[in-house]
Amino acid sequence: MVYGTIFVPRLREYPMEQEGREEEQPSSSQSDPAPTSDHKDFASTDSSSLCAELSPLEDIVFVDKQAVEKLTSGLISHYLPDLQNSKRALQELTQNQGILLDTLEQEITKFRECNSLLDMHSLFTEAKFYHNKLVSIRKEMLMLHEKTTKLKKRALKLQQQRQKEALEKEQQREKELERERQLIAKPAKRT
């Protein structure tokens, strides 16, 4: 049989626990299996160094390697399925978390687009307001243009009328002057 060394630290013992342990512990020759000759040398040569390293609260226990392997395989077979299930669950959670992060990023992008659409909506509203203002200014300008055109026509008519009146006055004055000339006596010519 092959034996290995395991260090088992003792916890602080209280008086009631010590009494119970004294009753439970069988003699040391029955509980500890005897080491083989290969390990006696190891135990004798290293026992002084091990004792120096160990505190008074620790004991040396010799355990069979087959028992250690069986205990290890039993422990692994007991906990490995749960650990594998946990691993699968964590992988699934990680995958779902990645999907959720992608979805969240898409939603954030949609909200940003929505905000930009609201900004564009307000921009279009403002553009519509200024367009209406421009249309009203254009209408006013057309009205002013029509008024100025009418005023220019009226001014031209008035000017033509004044010119006509002035021409008529001038013609009448010339007629009066001609009439006065005719009324003035002419001296007779001597022959």
Side-chain angles (χ1 to χ4, degrees), residues 1 3 32-40 43 62:
M1 235 184 221
Y3 291 95
D32 291 337
T36 59
S37 61
D38 294 340
H39 293 289
K40 280 185 181 178
F62 293 100

Side-chain angles (χ1 to χ4, degrees), residues 22 86 129 188:
E22 288 173 3
S86 297
F129 169 76

Side-chain angles (χ1 to χ4, degrees), residues 6-71:
I6 295 180
F7 300 104
V8 179
R10 276 194 187 166
L11 298 175
R12 194 172 179 188
E13 295 182 356
Y14 293 101
M16 291 179 76
E17 291 177 353
Q18 287 178 351
E19 292 172 5
R21 286 193 183 179
E22 288 173 3
E23 295 170 3
E24 291 175 4
Q25 289 180 355
S27 64
S28 62
S29 62
Q30 292 175 355
S31 64
D32 291 337
T36 59
S37 61
D38 294 340
H39 293 289
K40 280 185 181 178
D41 294 335
F42 174 74
S44 64
T45 57
D46 286 344
S47 64
S48 61
S49 65
L50 286 175
C51 289
E53 289 177 10
L54 294 176
S55 66
L57 297 176
E58 296 179 342
D59 286 338
I60 300 173
V61 178
F62 293 100
V63 181
D64 183 17
K65 280 198 174 189
Q66 267 186 339
V68 170
E69 287 177 12
K70 285 182 180 178
L71 286 171

